[in-house]
Amino acid sequence: MSTIKQSQLATRLAQAGNRSDTTTGAISVPIYQTASFVHPGLGQSTGFDYSRTSNPTRLALEETLASADSGHRGFAFASGLAAIDAVLRLFSPGDKLVVTEDLYGGTYRLFEKIYRPLGIDALYVDTSYIRAVEEALALPGVKGILLESPTNPLLKIADIRVIAALARGRGILTIVDNTFLTPVLQRPIEQGADLVVYSATKYLAGHNDVVAGAVVTATPALSERIAFLQNAAGGILGPQDAWLTLRGLKTLTLRVARQQENATALAAWLDHHPRVRRVYYPGLSSHPNRNILLREKSGWGAMIAFEVEDPARIPEILSKVKIFLFAESLGGVESLITYPYLQTHADIEEATRQRLGINDRLLRLSVGIEAIEDLQGDLENVL
Ligand SMILES: Cc1ncc(COP(=O)(O)O)c(C=O)c1O
């Protein structure tokens, strides 16, 4: 596995899929809107037979995903949850996975409502606390660990490098949901992870106009398994959405840099605001485990969570914002505000939400590329 320089990544992404059509010389990869491909003769193939198995537009995206993450292969799915679902199919009844406790509510629902009844159990752990992870990995039946880092919505940081080494020593697969930082800021396979998953709906596609997911594998053996599962279960991304995601990827480095710059300024300002009780942002010097990101030379990303002093004001804040859009999702060029307690994390039991800190005061921002004065002004007005 080779590591990528940041400058190489910018070039690779800007040029993604270009000149793949040698017949016409089209710069942009064509949208191959076809279900099937003609065989040149019996027992012959152009390399493409049926679009569930492979499609040239999707392949251009998948090769870009693999290359951006220093992976062996990339796979594009119909959504982030379809991608995570494909990875969970690697496990068998009786297997256990150690899972980040404050993870995305939809992934929690997938574990609790679909995989637990099938005999695959999640053990929820604070994965920012290495001793807790070490103990959980030693429990009988643990075959995988699924990390979100930073977590959603509380932005806790896990030490992927240390955890992946511990897991490898026990033959346990490390899976990282890298939706929040993207390969621009964090490349988990370079840190020892076996699989990376994405909601490509978010930063990768980046314009709130497509739902997509991705898996990147570290080894040929895992690639073979995921390719089989992708084709056998069929949760693929269609060619139009693959094209949109690929187009988004071309500007990923620019967007992420600008979004992080805006988020850093907003978090510092919110941190001193009299109506704000607490700010969660890995870019603040007060953030625990920030040293891990410093060591890995990763960035902080552009997701911020904060608690307001008065929870009774939440409905007014959400209805009065003018630039921030009150909508679920994240990672697009436009800034969004959400209320995790009743939205993304509503599926988590009340007691657990309270224990984790996902409470009725907490708001989550996905900071976009707008002018920082406008974003700050909007929040100042409503706070
Ligand atoms: C961290 C994370 N992982 C996975 C998902 C699921 O992705 P999708 O909505 O594309 O299915 C989300 C969605 O919000 C997410 O935030």
Side-chain angles (χ1 to χ4, degrees), residues 295-319:
R295 184 195 72 205
E296 295 296 337
K297 301 189 176 56
S298 320
W300 328 115
M303 298 299 300
I304 303 172
F306 67 99
E307 285 182 6
V308 292
E309 281 292 350
D310 180 6
R313 298 224 34 252
I314 296 266
E316 198 189 336
I317 292 174
L318 293 174
S319 63

Side-chain angles (χ1 to χ4, degrees), residues 11 85 108 121 168 231 238 294 302 356:
T11 306
D85 179 63
Y108 175 82
D121 291 348
R168 177 140 311 167
N231 183 49
L294 285 172
L356 295 176

Side-chain angles (χ1 to χ4, degrees), residues 127-129 148-151 155-159 181 186 282 287-290 292-293:
T127 47
S128 67
Y129 180 43
E148 266 184 30
S149 183
T151 60
L155 302 154
K156 290 188 185 173
I157 306 295
D159 196 331
L181 288 189
Q186 173 168 275
H287 190 284
N289 288 3
R290 182 181 191 248
I292 297 169
L293 294 180

Side-chain angles (χ1 to χ4, degrees), residues 79-81 84 104 107 148 152 177 179-180 199 201-202 211-212 330:
S79 68
L81 281 178
I84 296 169
Y104 168 61
T107 312
E148 266 184 30
N152 179 8
D177 183 331
T179 299
F180 274 28
S199 170
T201 315
K202 311 295 168 11
V211 172
L330 60 106

Side-chain angles (χ1 to χ4, degrees), residues 17-172:
N18 287 5
R19 290 180 289 195
S20 57
D21 180 11
T22 47
T23 328
T24 65
I27 289 183
S28 159
V29 64
I31 301 173
Y32 288 87
Q33 191 64 53
T34 181
S36 195
F37 301 82
V38 175
H39 305 298
L42 190 62
Q44 294 176 358
S45 166
T46 58
F48 297 96
D49 300 309
Y50 187 60
S51 278
R52 170 159 38 72
T53 316
S54 188
N55 171 287
T57 315
R58 196 175 90 221
L59 185 63
L61 167 63
E62 294 181 329
E63 287 176 348
T64 306
L65 291 166
S67 144
D69 246 308
S70 301
H72 178 255
R73 273 185 70 179
F75 299 88
F77 285 86
S79 68
L81 281 178
I84 296 169
D85 179 63
V87 167
L88 294 187
R89 286 169 195 260
L90 294 170
F91 299 91
S92 310
D95 289 352
K96 294 183 173 52
L97 281 97
V98 176
V99 179
T100 299
E101 63 179 359
D102 58 326
L103 88 168
Y104 168 61
T107 312
Y108 175 82
R109 182 178 55 205
L110 186 62
F111 270 113
E112 292 308 304
K113 298 284 186 327
I114 297 186
Y115 280 92
R116 196 177 290 282
L118 293 175
I120 296 169
D121 291 348
L123 308 171
Y124 298 103
V125 167
D126 178 352
T127 47
S128 67
Y129 180 43
I130 201 75
R131 289 285 294 278
V133 175
E134 208 168 353
E135 279 170 24
L137 289 177
L139 293 172
V142 172
K143 296 286 168 56
I145 175 161
L146 171 61
L147 301 169
E148 266 184 30
S149 183
T151 60
N152 179 8
L154 296 176
L155 302 154
K156 290 188 185 173
I157 306 295
D159 196 331
I160 298 171
R161 193 177 291 278
V162 169
I163 292 173
L166 286 172
R168 177 140 311 167
R170 294 182 171 273
I172 293 170

